[in-house]
Every structure is written in structure tokens, then in C-alpha cells.
Amino acid sequence: SYELTQPPSVSVAPGKTARITCGGDNIGSKSVHWYQQKPGQAPLLVIYSDSARPSGIPERLSGSNSGNTATLTISRAAAGDEADYYCQVWDSNAAVFGTGTRVTVL
Amino acid sequence: EVQLVQSGAEVKKPGESLKISCAGIGYSFTKSWIGWVRQMPGKGLEWMGIIFPDDSDTRYNRSFQGQVTISADKSLSTAFLQWSSLKAADTATYYCVVGGRALLNFRFDHWGPGTLVTVSS
């Protein structure tokens, strides 16, 4: 079955840029979606179809996808960005989530 | 505005049965895939399965096939997740999720607040 690998944690200083990777075999040929989950809350779709933002998601969050790696970029990081982030694709009639990355702003 | 209203937290004993629910409001319930995602304590997200209420077409994660049953009642605009015999390992938060009409590049546009299920003797 298809697997998506993310780093367990990423730290970023306030105002700087964080990049969260999602690795998968030829993931560039798939459509990647990203979810943000803050402590005690349900996940929220923040990026879909590699780089599109749902209504209400700030432009500071952006996505890209090529080759074997998709990337979620958080620009001008703020305390409110602290959360777990998950990538997801649809493959062979199944949804697959990445392993998740905890982003800490410090 | 899309709302997914999930049933309340449950505490059950091993071997008991359970059916939790999710009412879909504010969108075309019958024409959107609806399903369930599990999150065990302190762990990541696991897709369990989805159903298309209009024709009850259901897709399961192989890991959950035979372990749970996903269903939907069009007249109630409600989806269900049920177990016939719970195990302690079923302790988790279960999120109801809604996507679009097509499975190609499927994503979960909306999430319910989650139902915490605790299984303990």
C-alpha cells in the first residue's frame, strides 16, 4: 500500500519560514492535500490539490508538489501556527494520510 | 454552512456493540461522500472508510474491513459507524468527514468535532 512519510517535528522562529515535507513514491503525479490540527480540535483542510487554499486560509500557507516530495510552507510563522500537520492523497481507492508533523514556533 | 453533528462520547466494555452517528447539515447529503477517520490517543489520522449515501456505495480501508460497518440513512441525512464487539484497542476519537462527489483526488473538506469512544473493563 502507498505510504507517506513526514518528519515528526519542525521548529521555526516567529516570523520565519517553516517547510513541512511529505515523501511518497512519485507523489508529484498525485494530488496532495494538507490538514492542520490544533490541540484538542478536529483537523482543518488548509491546502488542497497541491497548492490551492480553501476560503479563509491565509496566503502565508502555501503548497507545492514535485517528484517524490510535496511541501507545505508556512511563511511569517506565528504562535497560532503551532499544530500537527498531515498530508493526504487518494491512491488505489483509498485515502492515505502522512505520519504527521508537529510544528513548534519558538 | 456545512455542519457535521456527531453523537456524544461513549464509554463501553469490551465485547459490547456500539453505533455512533453523524448528521450532515447544509449541503447535499446524498450527493457527497461521507466517512470516518480514527485517531487513537496521541497518534495520527487513519482513514476507515466512506459511503455515498445516494446508492450506499461503500469503500473501506482494508485494515478496517470486517471490523466495522459504515452505513447511511438518507431520510435522516445521517451516517453511522458501528461495531459488533468492541475491543480496548478501539479506544479513540472518531471524526466524521465529508468530501465531494467524485473519488478522483478525494479530500476531506469538512470535519465533525469528533466522538470519543472509550472501551474499558
Side-chain angles (χ1 to χ4, degrees):
Chain A
S1 59
Y2 197 75
E3 294 183 355
L4 295 172
T5 303
Q6 299 179 233
S9 61
V10 167
S11 296
V12 59
K16 299 300 186 183
T17 297
R19 292 180 179 84
I20 305 160
T21 57
C22 175
D25 184 35
N26 197 26
I27 195 173
S29 67
K30 301 181 186 302
S31 188
V32 179
H33 317 302
W34 291 90
Y35 304 88
Q36 175 193 70
Q37 185 179 31
K38 296 184 178 179
Q41 296 184 19
L44 172 72
L45 178 70
V46 293
I47 294 288
Y48 66 94
S49 300
D50 297 340
S51 58
R53 276 183 302 276
S55 173
I57 301 302
E59 290 184 10
R60 298 187 302 102
L61 272 62
S62 61
S64 62
N65 184 18
S66 179
N68 292 317
T69 305
T71 303
L72 174 68
T73 301
I74 305 173
S75 304
R76 302 184 298 283
D81 297 322
E82 286 205 332
D84 294 328
Y85 292 83
Y86 296 90
C87 55
Q88 178 252 316
V89 300
W90 182 259
D91 178 81
S92 301
N93 230 7
V96 180
F97 285 103
T99 48
T101 298
R102 176 152 297 176
V103 171
T104 303
V105 181
L106 41 69
Chain B
E1 179 195 0
V2 175
Q3 290 184 63
L4 298 174
V5 181
Q6 296 190 230
S7 50
E10 302 273 2
V11 179
K12 303 294 260 185
K13 290 181 167 41
E16 292 186 331
S17 62
L18 176 64
K19 191 174 189 177
I20 61 175
S21 65
C22 171
I25 301 168
Y27 71 99
S28 177
F29 180 80
T30 57
K31 301 297 186 184
S32 300
W33 290 87
I34 186 168
W36 298 91
V37 170
R38 182 175 80 173
Q39 186 167 41
M40 300 175 74
K43 301 297 185 184
L45 305 175
E46 301 173 273
W47 173 71
M48 302 178 72
I50 50 174
I51 186 168
F52 194 70
D54 197 41
D55 60 8
S56 296
D57 185 4
T58 310
R59 312 294 172 95
Y60 287 96
N61 179 331
R62 287 180 204 167
S63 298
F64 292 96
Q65 182 101 40
Q67 308 304 309
V68 298
T69 301
I70 293 172
S71 60
D73 186 325
K74 291 190 287 188
S75 67
L76 298 176
S77 294
T78 300
F80 302 95
L81 176 65
Q82 68 180 74
W83 297 258
S84 58
S85 180
L86 287 160
K87 309 178 188 64
D90 294 317
T91 295
T93 296
Y94 293 88
Y95 292 104
C96 176
V97 289
V98 165
R101 187 174 188 148
L103 284 180
L104 181 65
N105 300 326
F106 192 75
R107 64 181 186 261
F108 305 109
D109 292 305
H110 304 282
W111 294 65
T115 295
L116 176 62
V117 174
T118 303
V119 183
S120 175
S121 54

